[in-house]
Amino acid sequence: MASSNGHSGGSSSSTAPRAVPGSYGLPVIGNLRDRHDFYYRQGQDKYFESRIQQYGSTVLRINVPRGPFFTIDPKVVALLDAKSFTTLFDLDRVEKKDVLVGYVPPVSITGGYRILSYLDPSEPNHDKLKQLMFNLLHSRKDSVIPAFRSNFSSLLDGVNLQVGNGPVDFNKLNDVSAFQFLGEAFFGERPAPELFTSAGKWLLLMLSPLFSIGLPWIVEEPLLHSVPLPSILVRKDYKAFYDYVFKAGTKALDNAESMGFSREEACHNLVFMMGLNSYAAFKLMLPTILGSVAGSKDKSSLHARLATEVRAAMADAGGEVTIASVERMELVKSVVWEAVRLDPPVKYQYGHAKRDMEVESHDGVRYEVKKGEMLMGYQPCATRDPLVFGATAGEFVGDRFVGEEGRKLVKYVYWSMGGDEEPTVGNKQCPGKNFVMLVGRLFVVELFLRYDTFSVQFTKGPGGNKVAFTDVTKATS
Ligand code: HEM
């Protein structure tokens, strides 16, 4: 495969395919031991890295806690390099039905409907529901920049006021601002500030079997990881969120009706799109961008270059932030790609093998996989693959994607479940791809319009990165 050092990966196409190495351990005990390693002893990165070392392979049989302990089979074939991971993009070989997060939460938590994200493109509703999402994003494209700027300039006004009094928790501010921004961007109406708490409870209930929230395992395993929690616990919260979307999303629902959907089914899909697809991911992505840019090794030169680029592009655009002016900011684009490469917001992707097949690793070894087996890609291993990104694969290099050579590497940034191809109604790639990149860039733009530089406290937590501003230097030019 292509790589930063021109290495093409030794091909063993003439040799016989190998059995996938690895072990699931003893029934129940193997799973229990691996869950403990995964959540509490090693953490996710070490869990995978240590097993890659142990078996000398980036394609492995491994247990992954992909749902409640008592209901979900943890056995997967893990794809842990930049080449084998792309098997998951190939819909001729992989079925994406009901695999979004590795298991299916009870449909009662999404109003009784199977939502777009759980549908394989071969299912009848997939294309039409995805088209609905494209229509919504297209119809609201002019509102993204103003909605982002108004919500995030208020957030940064708050930072300016508080930063002299101690660290300012960015995640806490972002939890409200990101939610309000999304409501305004998608539906033209800011949700009430307290609605983000309702959305948060609903998300927590849906995703709780998949994460550690930092409690001791003796509490967390029986409480959150053993059986799905009943959706009745968040019924009121979900209803409040649904009611907001039903009222604010009138135009999108009119469009859905004209496409043959009931308003109810479409609304549940829009709630999921705003809540899980967008909000949950932005809660992770924006702190990651901030932490990466503030923590860069060459911070003072990177910040100076970013400030110059942002302010010059703004000046050229007559003092406006526009899609075209942001598109010209090569370094801004690069830092956003680099942040999501190093720490992708959605780390796991799944798919069932549609038939007996071979999976090829980055070093050209072919492995046999049987029809029906669950394939799982852990994205950080794929997007930090040293055969693609070289010796600095595990480091934040702000200008990695600048210039002609740099741009060639963008196709190895898989955050949207694709490389350089575009999302379509026929694939499973994130329809929010362009929206998300725009928002990441707008965030960097907003920071460097206000500040020459800034510092943060950064903590890698079990439920995502935690970032707090500790100092900001206001823009001097
Ligand atoms: C940081 C932000 C985001 C990240 C990291 C992200 C990531 C992803 C990923 C990895 C997938 C593929 C999941 C899979 O099937 O394995 C996906 C699918 C999807 N995303 Fe996003 N997403 C983000 C924001 C958004 C936004 C803003 C929207 C709004 C439209 C959106 C809507 C969807 C939908 C509807 C799907 C399912 C697509 C399909 O079934 O074909 N996402 N996203």
Side-chain angles (χ1 to χ4, degrees), residues 96 116-117 126 130 277-278 281 349 415 427-428 430-431 436:
K96 295 280 296 171
L116 168 61
S117 287
H126 177 273
K130 198 156 179 185
N277 294 129
S278 310
Q349 273 87 49
W415 73 266
N427 66 24
K428 278 298 281 182
C430 177
V436 172

Side-chain angles (χ1 to χ4, degrees), residues 255-334:
N255 178 233
E257 244 180 0
S258 74
M259 295 169 77
F261 291 108
S262 70
R263 291 181 97 75
E264 197 192 8
E265 177 170 9
C267 192
H268 288 296
N269 271 281
L270 294 177
V271 168
F272 195 89
M273 180 277 287
M274 176 170 161
L276 189 129
N277 294 129
S278 310
Y279 180 54
F282 279 125
K283 272 163 76 77
L284 299 170
M285 184 176 98
L286 296 179
T288 295
I289 295 176
L290 176 61
S292 308
V293 173
S296 168
K297 268 208 278 194
D298 60 345
K299 175 176 152 181
S300 56
S301 111
L302 181 70
H303 286 199
R305 287 157 65 207
L306 282 165
T308 305
E309 182 178 88
V310 167
R311 293 170 204 171
M314 266 283 273
D316 282 355
E320 295 287 314
V321 178
T322 62
I323 292 183
S325 67
V326 175
E327 195 49 45
R328 281 198 296 276
M329 300 178 190
E330 237 201 331
L331 187 56
V332 170
K333 292 196 311 194
S334 179

Side-chain angles (χ1 to χ4, degrees), residues 70-392:
F70 290 114
T71 43
I72 303 295
D73 180 358
K75 298 186 188 80
V76 300
V77 173
L79 311 175
L80 304 173
D81 64 69
K83 171 80 182 167
S84 59
F85 189 94
T86 61
T87 311
L88 291 166
F89 306 158
D90 184 350
L91 299 175
D92 289 336
R93 299 202 292 160
V94 168
E95 189 194 61
K96 295 280 296 171
K97 184 174 175 185
D98 290 336
V99 295
L100 175 69
V101 288
Y103 83 109
V104 202
V107 285
S108 55
I109 203 161
T110 47
Y113 288 96
R114 278 181 69 234
I115 298 297
L116 168 61
S117 287
Y118 292 100
L119 304 181
D120 185 76
S122 62
E123 295 184 74
N125 266 358
H126 177 273
D127 293 16
K128 278 205 303 173
L129 281 170
K130 198 156 179 185
Q131 190 58 55
L132 178 67
M133 301 303 161
F134 284 131
N135 293 351
L136 172 70
L137 289 167
H138 181 73
S139 69
R140 301 291 306 161
K141 66 180 186 322
D142 294 335
S143 63
V144 180
I145 294 182
F148 183 86
R149 296 208 69 196
S150 69
N151 284 288
F152 280 80
S153 34
S154 306
L155 181 154
L156 294 176
D157 286 345
V159 172
N160 287 351
L161 283 176
Q162 294 170 48
V163 76
N165 306 324
V168 185
D169 185 340
F170 173 75
N171 296 69
K172 205 166 151 192
L173 298 172
N174 181 49
D175 282 354
V176 186
S177 298
F179 193 69
Q180 295 205 296
F181 153 65
L182 287 166
E184 200 174 333
F186 291 146
F187 307 122
E189 186 179 318
R190 261 189 212 182
E194 60 278 7
L195 205 57
F196 90 94
T197 319
S198 300
K201 283 192 208 158
W202 170 67
L203 287 171
L204 186 67
L205 191 108
M206 198 163 23
L207 301 175
S208 64
L210 303 172
F211 291 102
S212 165
I213 55 168
L215 300 173
W217 74 269
I218 195 96
V219 179
E220 213 167 63
E221 283 299 297
L223 189 70
L224 300 179
H225 294 162
S226 296
V227 287
L229 295 171
S231 56
I232 194 163
L233 292 175
V234 292
R235 196 164 64 187
K236 265 200 194 143
D237 294 292
Y238 184 74
K239 173 88 170 58
F241 189 4
Y242 178 93
D243 287 347
Y244 157 74
V245 174
F246 197 83
K247 186 168 155 287
T250 307
K251 283 198 180 134
L253 296 177
D254 289 346
N255 178 233
E257 244 180 0
S258 74
M259 295 169 77
F261 291 108
S262 70
R263 291 181 97 75
E264 197 192 8
E265 177 170 9
C267 192
H268 288 296
N269 271 281
L270 294 177
V271 168
F272 195 89
M273 180 277 287
M274 176 170 161
L276 189 129
N277 294 129
S278 310
Y279 180 54
F282 279 125
K283 272 163 76 77
L284 299 170
M285 184 176 98
L286 296 179
T288 295
I289 295 176
L290 176 61
S292 308
V293 173
S296 168
K297 268 208 278 194
D298 60 345
K299 175 176 152 181
S300 56
S301 111
L302 181 70
H303 286 199
R305 287 157 65 207
L306 282 165
T308 305
E309 182 178 88
V310 167
R311 293 170 204 171
M314 266 283 273
D316 282 355
E320 295 287 314
V321 178
T322 62
I323 292 183
S325 67
V326 175
E327 195 49 45
R328 281 198 296 276
M329 300 178 190
E330 237 201 331
L331 187 56
V332 170
K333 292 196 311 194
S334 179
V335 295
V336 173
W337 278 319
E338 181 65 345
V340 296
R341 175 191 76 81
L342 209 51
D343 204 348
V346 180
K347 296 188 169 31
Y348 295 90
Q349 273 87 49
Y350 296 88
H352 282 113
K354 275 187 169 169
R355 50 184 157 82
D356 290 356
M357 63 187 202
E358 289 173 8
V359 167
E360 190 174 332
S361 68
H362 61 175
D363 38 14
V365 182
R366 291 176 296 127
Y367 294 97
E368 284 177 317
V369 170
K370 293 274 173 239
K371 180 176 174 179
E373 289 200 272
M374 179 61 111
L375 305 176
M376 183 234 52
Y378 181 60
Q379 221 187 104
C381 284
T383 55
R384 293 180 209 150
D385 188 332
L387 288 194
V388 174
F389 293 103
T392 59

Side-chain angles (χ1 to χ4, degrees), residues 416-428:
S416 63
M417 184 64 187
D420 51 1
E421 69 279 13
E422 288 300 308
T424 66
V425 293
N427 66 24
K428 278 298 281 182

